[in-house]
Amino acid sequence: MEGGVGGPSTEPPPVLQKLHQASRIYQYYLDKTTPHAVPRWVGTLVVALIYGLRVYYVQGFYIITYGLGIYILNLLIGFLSPLVDPELEVSDGPLLPTKGSDEFKPFIRRLPEFKFWYSVTKAFAIAFVMTFFSAFDVPVFWPILLCYWLVLFVLTMKRQIAHMMKYKYIPLNIGKQKYGGKKPSASSSGSRAD
């Protein structure tokens, strides 16, 4: 009798318990980083710099870097695209305004900023680990890969910017728009008369 009188034991093995506990701790700290966008992106920039230095000093793994570039370009397209593309489907949900008289609807991304950051950081970390295995060091002529990636980037961004102009949306929010309003005059800055 494995479980005793009450039936079989339902407690998971200790290894699974430790994995679940580690997963919860990881998720806890990941959730704490959500409101801190600038430090997150600075950390990602540091990870990207470390990866770039690794590739530079090893003088290899260009095919991994090319694949990483294509993946990040794909993520960037998702980040810059609206959740509901006006060209593809008409839905009952929020749509982008196409005329000046249309009601304002907020821009909802297909790929939210946090998921974009998380995917980019994870991709750089995985690519960095891959540079320690010689099986991924495929000999290629890197200038051709770089030129091909640049052409792909320019054509993709040209199409994306044309889409943004056609449907009049800006996917980047640089901050809250501030209005000047009336500035208090020198005579009204004194005490109030009730």
Side-chain angles (χ1 to χ4, degrees):
M1 294 183 122
E2 292 177 15
V5 178
S9 175
T10 59
E11 190 172 311
V15 173
L16 289 179
Q17 287 178 348
K18 291 291 183 186
L19 278 174
H20 181 68
Q21 183 181 7
S23 171
R24 288 184 55 178
I25 291 171
Y26 175 73
Q27 190 63 46
Y28 171 77
Y29 285 111
L30 193 63
D31 290 344
K32 285 185 71 112
T33 65
T34 302
H36 309 290
V38 173
R40 280 190 283 122
W41 282 105
V42 168
T44 299
L45 189 61
V46 168
V47 171
L49 185 64
I50 291 170
Y51 173 76
L53 288 172
R54 168 85 177 142
V55 169
Y56 177 74
Y57 285 122
V58 174
Q59 293 293 313
F61 300 99
Y62 302 119
I63 199 76
I64 292 175
T65 306
Y66 175 72
L68 178 65
I70 295 294
Y71 180 68
I72 291 174
L73 182 60
N74 186 27
L75 291 174
L76 182 64
I77 292 168
F79 179 71
L80 296 176
S81 299
L83 180 63
V84 178
D85 193 349
E87 283 184 345
L88 300 178
E89 60 185 69
V90 177
S91 74
D92 297 333
L95 296 174
L96 294 170
T98 55
K99 301 179 205 116
S101 62
D102 284 353
E103 178 186 345
F104 171 75
K105 304 254 180 6
F107 181 78
I108 302 171
R109 300 178 192 284
R110 188 179 340 150
L111 182 65
E113 183 270 337
F114 184 79
K115 288 185 179 180
F116 177 57
W117 164 80
Y118 185 65
S119 298
V120 168
T121 306
K122 195 165 51 169
F124 271 111
I126 290 170
F128 180 74
V129 169
M130 289 174 74
T131 62
F132 290 100
F133 299 99
S134 61
F136 298 115
D137 192 10
V138 179
V140 292
F141 187 59
W142 67 265
I144 290 181
L145 286 180
L146 179 63
C147 289
Y148 182 64
W149 186 85
L150 288 173
V151 167
L152 193 62
F153 178 79
V154 168
L155 292 176
T156 304
M157 286 299 111
K158 182 179 174 184
R159 183 181 57 84
Q160 188 68 32
I161 291 170
H163 189 270
M164 293 153 105
M165 292 171 70
K166 180 179 179 183
Y167 291 101
K168 298 180 177 100
Y169 67 91
I170 300 174
L172 304 174
N173 48 349
I174 310 297
K176 203 172 186 182
Q177 190 173 8
K178 296 177 182 164
Y179 297 98
K182 290 186 180 181
K183 297 198 188 242
S185 63
S187 64
S188 65
S189 63
S191 62
R192 285 182 34 181
D194 286 320

